[in-house]
Amino acid sequence: MTTSAGTDWAAWQESWDRQQEWYMPDREERLGIMLDMVEALVGTAPRVLDLACGTGSITARLLRRLPGATSTGVDLDPALLAIAHGTFEGDDRVSFVTADLTDPDWPARLPYDSYDAVLTATALHWLHTEPLAALYGQVAELVRDGGVFMNADHMIDESTPRINAAERAQRHARMEQAKREGALDWSEWWQLAAQDPVLAEPTARRFQIYGEHADGDTPSARWHARTLLARGFAEARTVWASPSDALVLAVK
Ligand SMILES: C[S@@+](CC[C@H](N)C(=O)[O-])C[C@H]1O[C@@H](n2cnc3c(N)ncnc32)[C@H](O)[C@@H]1O
């Protein structure tokens, strides 16, 4: 755990959010709907697993909205976990676990063997479809009967190439415009982290672990729903979508 009295964790959270919003201007909307569905299906005091939690973006919004909730965040990135630890230090509703989600034994590191909700955003496209399908089987075992899994991510329907090309061109044009107006992208954000006295060391370690970015797949929302059903969920479908992304919800 990295802590430093002098580090402004809220400022790091803010700049992480702005960087992520450069890719996804509707990020808050999707996270809001995720929490709407948590509340609708598992109530106001859920035990949540924030899967590939990064800085704890989902956990922060969960606790603001549902103060009776508890959360376990799991991730492998030492720098993002340092920000997460710093942000939630002293909050006994929250704990963090360092684990690689492609390691078959990662669930053994969790403090609980059952969750009301497993939530994840903008992360599982770092995995290829085969390990992701295996991960979905493990997630199905962690979710209690009646509990939920939700994944908000970039999901591409390969059967619509002209729609996809037009959407991509428009999205990239908007990103270029935002960049001209000063938005930070992924690598610029990491350059800032590398210059921070507290984050420099875990940032160097994260680049040893991942390189610039992991290389995964972005299957369609239909693939996610179908795979979740095949791996042990009773219902699964999209509950929110943008031209490029979707939020898929599965109920055990
Ligand atoms: C773009 S960040 C999103 C973080 C957070 N969910 C959010 O929305 O702000 C993707 C996260 O997935 C995590 N991740 C990717 N592959 C992973 C793996 N195999 N094991 C654990 N975490 C992983 C990364 O470390 C990173 O924190």
Side-chain angles (χ1 to χ4, degrees), residues 16-17 20 27 31 50-58 74-77 80 99-102 120-127 186 206 210 213-214:
W16 173 259
D17 286 345
Q20 289 286 291
R27 181 168 177 259
L31 295 177
D50 183 351
L51 194 69
C53 63
T55 63
S57 307
I58 292 173
V74 58
D75 204 284
L76 184 60
D77 187 313
L80 298 181
D100 182 347
L101 297 173
T102 63
T120 187
T122 331
L124 299 188
H125 67 270
W126 291 40
L127 272 57
W186 176 259
R206 72 89 47 203
Y210 286 123
H213 196 292

Side-chain angles (χ1 to χ4, degrees), residues 30-123:
R30 71 187 65 185
L31 295 177
I33 289 171
M34 181 183 273
L35 295 180
D36 286 346
M37 299 314 292
V38 167
E39 191 171 347
L41 282 149
V42 294
T44 55
R47 179 192 290 167
V48 168
L49 178 61
D50 183 351
L51 194 69
C53 63
T55 63
S57 307
I58 292 173
T59 295
R61 288 155 180 78
L62 171 77
L63 296 179
R64 274 203 294 274
R65 166 120 171 218
L66 303 175
T70 52
S71 180
T72 307
V74 58
D75 204 284
L76 184 60
D77 187 313
L80 298 181
L81 280 173
I83 297 173
H85 277 293
T87 302
F88 297 98
E89 197 174 7
D91 188 334
D92 59 13
R93 297 170 298 178
V94 183
S95 60
F96 292 102
V97 170
T98 299
D100 182 347
L101 297 173
T102 63
D103 169 358
D105 296 327
W106 73 269
R109 295 176 178 240
L110 298 174
Y112 305 105
D113 56 13
S114 171
Y115 287 86
D116 300 308
V118 177
L119 308 176
T120 187
T122 331

Side-chain angles (χ1 to χ4, degrees), residues 125-161:
H125 67 270
W126 291 40
L127 272 57
H128 288 289
T129 47
E130 215 171 289
L132 178 54
L135 177 66
Y136 277 176
Q138 292 177 307
V139 167
E141 283 177 22
L142 285 167
V143 173
R144 68 155 167 89
D145 284 348
V148 297
F149 168 73
M150 274 180 262
N151 178 16
D153 207 351
H154 191 41
M155 298 183 186
I156 299 176
D157 185 338
E158 299 289 357
S159 73
T160 59

